[in-house]
Structure formats: C-alpha cells, structure tokens
Amino acid sequence: MCTVGVMGQEKVADVHIYDPNADAFGEIHNATAVARGEHKHVLLIIGGNWCVWCRRFNSLITTDADLKRVIDSNYVVVHVNYSPENKNPKVLASLGYPQRFGFPVVVVLDADGRRLHTQNSGYLEEGEGHSKKKVEQFLRQWSPAALDPATYK
C-alpha cells in the first residue's frame, strides 16, 4: 500500500488509470445513476498514477477474468484521483477521509451514493501484490446480493 509520505518515489511512465482533471463528484453521480438502473453498487478506487500499489491493484482486477466478472456483475467502477495536481479534498471529505488508510483505498457506495464500506487495501495484499482470493472475497461480501436481506431467507 502507498502512503501519502511516499508519493512520487517511483518513476511512472505512461500510466493513465487516474485522471487529475476528472470531475470526481460528476463521475460518482453518473456512476450512481448507472448503478441504480443496473441494480449494482459503485466501487470507488482512490489512488494515483504515482502509486505502484494502485497500479498493481488495477492490473489484478482488470486482467483476472474471475475478478473482472465479479466486478462487472456487481459494480460500476470510478477511479478517484489523489495526486499533487488534485487531491480531491471535498470528495474525500464527503467520503469520511478514506486517504487515512493509504492507497489504493476502496470505497463501496450503494446506488443512492451512500457509503457502505471503506476498505484499507493493505488487508487485501499478499507478497508484492494483492491476493486474488482476498480481493474476490471482499468484492462478493459487499455486492448487492450480499447486502440484500432476501438473500438470507
């Protein structure tokens, strides 16, 4: 996991996961509208292109077919930038200051934009990356079906 104090220590070439110029509030608003229509949650992945752990997490969830399937079935994903160019202070304040956990940090919102959970990604790490098993378990535990009381009748 990257922490605020070690920003920019590693050279980054051609990494464009996070957009410092993006309107994070607008993207979250659009994602909740899509999530409502598709009966999904919103998965905010907060970090920056400068963060090696952010890049590792993104690589895992976009290249592993099983994780991609779980995400596509249950979530609308928004990457929220945190960098010297744009720390998105108002967005992060509205989310309860998730940056306190380091980066990447993952926030799950329901389709109405209410924060359901903030996940310190350090708990999902294993070795030099993130554990597929831990990430998949996290994604399933915060999916719409997992939080639907009807699932347990």
Side-chain angles (χ1 to χ4, degrees):
M1 157 180 49
C2 294
T3 58
V4 176
V6 296
M7 281 178 29
Q9 284 187 345
E10 190 170 309
K11 203 106 166 118
V12 180
D14 299 325
V15 176
H16 303 287
I17 301 164
Y18 299 89
D19 180 0
N21 299 312
D23 171 10
F25 274 126
E27 288 187 356
I28 293 167
H29 175 77
N30 292 341
T32 57
V34 172
R36 266 192 305 282
E38 297 180 1
H39 309 289
K40 295 180 179 182
H41 285 160
V42 176
L43 190 69
L44 303 179
I45 305 171
I46 304 166
N49 296 322
W50 54 268
C51 170
V52 65
W53 286 94
C54 298
R55 297 190 314 269
R56 289 174 184 167
F57 187 78
N58 186 71
S59 178
L60 176 66
I61 66 171
T62 58
T63 62
D64 183 279
D66 297 325
L67 293 177
K68 189 161 175 22
R69 190 171 19 264
V70 172
I71 289 173
D72 291 346
S73 298
N74 295 288
Y75 298 95
V76 177
V77 177
V78 176
H79 288 89
V80 177
N81 183 75
Y82 182 95
S83 69
E85 300 86 7
N86 184 0
K87 294 182 180 181
N88 277 304
K90 290 180 181 175
V91 172
L92 297 183
S94 75
L95 297 169
Y97 306 98
Q99 68 269 38
R100 69 187 183 276
F101 296 115
F103 299 98
V105 60
V106 181
V107 177
V108 179
L109 306 177
D110 68 11
D112 293 319
R114 289 185 296 259
R115 183 170 54 94
L116 300 174
H117 182 69
T118 301
Q119 180 64 43
N120 177 338
S121 67
Y123 295 119
L124 305 177
E125 291 175 9
E126 187 171 85
E128 291 297 313
H130 296 87
S131 162
K132 173 185 174 176
K133 180 180 176 182
K134 291 177 184 178
V135 171
E136 185 171 3
Q137 184 178 40
F138 161 74
L139 293 168
R140 291 189 186 281
Q141 289 175 342
W142 289 98
S143 69
L147 299 180
D148 182 354
T151 300
Y152 304 99
K153 290 184 181 179

